[in-house]
Amino acid sequence: MLNQYKTAITELDNALNSMSIEIDDPIKLSEEAIEHISNTLSEIKTKVIETAFQSPEVEIEFFKTVKPKILSKLIYYSSIYKIETKKPHGGEKIIRAYLNNELNNLKTFFDNNLEFYRYHRTESTYLDNKYFLRGNHDIKLNIDTNYFDADHRFTTSHDNTIAQILANDLIQVYLEDELTKLEKKPKKEKVRLNPKAQQIWTSSKVALIELIYALHSEGVFNHGASDLKDIVEYFENTMKIDLGQYHRTFLEIRVRKSNRTKFLNILKETLTKRMDDTDE
């Protein structure tokens, strides 16, 4: 049974990775991810309610490791959606204060659950039968009040807390990356460029990364002597875009099940159509 759930997690991870390289907007990405994760979690919930676990040990493993991996993704994307939709309009100082306040909220959760953090981080097991068996909660063990309103057929006293811890680690990375982007953000130039001379990349980041790798592979810059990093920085500076972890994105492009050169194929088809239309 657990293997089926673990397979579902792998399939979910693959789907979320595909979304992340195709969708640049964090709000739109979060919306798509939340819907996909919710459907997966709902399917697993139905199976758990209808099928008994083989033993208490298997039930503990599910609620301690399996369910939190899925639920943490839902919490993460829900949090990113709220962070982005509530982000204030204003200068760098205002946005920085907002992001730091979100980091402080994570610290507050950590402080309020310090004892359980220690239990989780040290991979302890002596209270697993209280934390991760359904209907076996102990009111003395700092239970989240949301637990009492939850469906106890699919919830233990602390599986949600594990999920929140996993999600908070990801949220912290996201917030720190956003703060780093603020530091790298170029200052406004005193002399404005001719608007017609400046070109802004309005397609997806993954499309530009695919194009850059193709150009670098062909060696079209400086007789093939240009380093990939230099080419990426040139495009980022010229087109005012942050391509982030472009190496990781390229790896994800490589493992596409089909149409690995998706953007290049589109370019070829579009140009060919333009030539055909011109000939007519």
Side-chain angles (χ1 to χ4, degrees):
M1 180 188 296
L2 285 182
N3 288 335
Q4 294 179 1
Y5 298 142
K6 291 176 181 178
T7 298
I9 293 176
T10 300
E11 293 174 351
L12 177 61
D13 285 338
N14 291 337
L16 293 176
N17 286 336
S18 296
M19 289 181 195
S20 67
I21 66 175
E22 296 294 341
I23 305 174
D24 293 329
D25 181 3
I27 295 177
K28 184 177 179 181
L29 173 60
S30 296
E31 290 174 339
E32 295 281 343
I34 289 169
E35 181 178 1
H36 200 87
I37 299 166
S38 297
N39 291 336
T40 299
L41 196 60
S42 178
E43 292 173 1
I44 290 177
K45 177 181 178 179
T46 299
K47 292 180 181 178
V48 168
I49 292 175
E50 294 177 350
T51 308
F53 289 103
Q54 296 94 321
S55 66
E57 290 75 21
V58 174
E59 181 174 346
I60 287 172
E61 183 179 356
F62 175 82
F63 285 106
K64 186 176 183 179
T65 63
V66 178
K67 181 189 172 185
K69 287 182 180 178
I70 303 174
L71 184 57
S72 65
K73 301 177 195 300
L74 185 60
I75 295 172
Y76 169 73
Y77 282 106
S78 297
S79 298
I80 299 307
Y81 182 83
K82 292 177 182 178
I83 289 170
E84 290 297 331
T85 54
K86 293 182 178 181
K87 184 182 290 183
H89 295 287
E92 179 180 328
K93 185 176 181 180
I94 293 175
I95 296 176
R96 183 180 297 280
Y98 171 75
L99 295 174
N100 279 319
N101 183 63
E102 292 296 325
L103 283 172
N104 287 335
N105 290 338
L106 299 183
K107 185 179 184 304
T108 299
F109 179 86
F110 172 82
D111 292 339
N112 291 338
N113 294 275
L114 183 57
E115 184 176 346
F116 186 73
Y117 258 93
R118 289 172 178 163
Y119 183 88
H120 170 64
R121 298 301 190 198
T122 57
E123 300 182 354
S124 299
T125 60
Y126 61 92
L127 287 175
D128 280 2
N129 64 323
K130 296 292 184 181
Y131 287 145
F132 306 113
L133 283 179
R134 291 169 295 180
N136 208 29
H137 65 273
D138 187 336
I139 193 66
K140 299 176 183 178
L141 296 177
N142 192 25
I143 299 177
D144 187 333
T145 54
N146 291 327
Y147 166 73
F148 298 102
D149 291 328
D151 186 344
H152 291 183
R153 297 174 300 170
F154 190 60
T155 308
T156 68
S157 65
H158 282 74
D159 65 83
N160 184 75
T161 308
I162 287 279
Q164 188 69 63
I165 290 174
L166 297 177
N168 284 0
D169 289 342
L170 298 175
I171 296 168
Q172 180 178 342
V173 171
Y174 181 87
L175 293 171
E176 290 174 347
D177 283 347
E178 291 299 299
L179 288 168
T180 300
K181 289 178 184 178
L182 288 178
E183 295 175 1
K184 293 182 177 180
K185 189 175 181 179
K187 303 298 181 182
K188 292 183 178 179
E189 299 178 3
K190 293 182 180 180
V191 179
R192 292 186 178 181
L193 296 175
N194 180 352
K196 294 182 179 180
Q198 185 174 357
Q199 302 299 317
I200 304 298
W201 184 266
T202 54
S203 186
S204 70
K205 292 181 182 179
V206 66
L208 180 55
I209 291 171
E210 183 180 325
L211 177 61
I212 290 173
Y213 268 87
L215 294 172
H216 178 254
S217 299
E218 184 62 19
V220 300
F221 298 108
N222 298 328
H223 304 287
S226 293
D227 185 75
L228 177 64
K229 180 175 180 293
D230 294 332
I231 298 173
V232 170
E233 290 181 355
Y234 172 80
F235 276 89
E236 286 182 323
N237 293 331
T238 303
M239 298 185 175
K240 309 301 181 187
I241 187 172
D242 179 9
L243 294 178
Q245 299 178 345
Y246 56 90
H247 289 297
R248 176 177 176 273
T249 301
F250 180 66
L251 289 176
E252 292 169 342
I253 292 173
R254 283 176 52 197
V255 298
R256 285 174 177 167
K257 293 183 178 179
S258 62
N259 200 11
R260 294 200 294 177
T261 55
K262 178 180 178 181
F263 182 62
L264 297 180
N265 293 341
I266 291 174
L267 289 180
K268 180 181 178 181
E269 292 172 5
T270 305
L271 180 57
T272 301
K273 184 178 184 302
R274 181 172 181 173
M275 290 177 176
D276 293 340
D277 291 342
T278 304
D279 291 340
E280 295 178 356

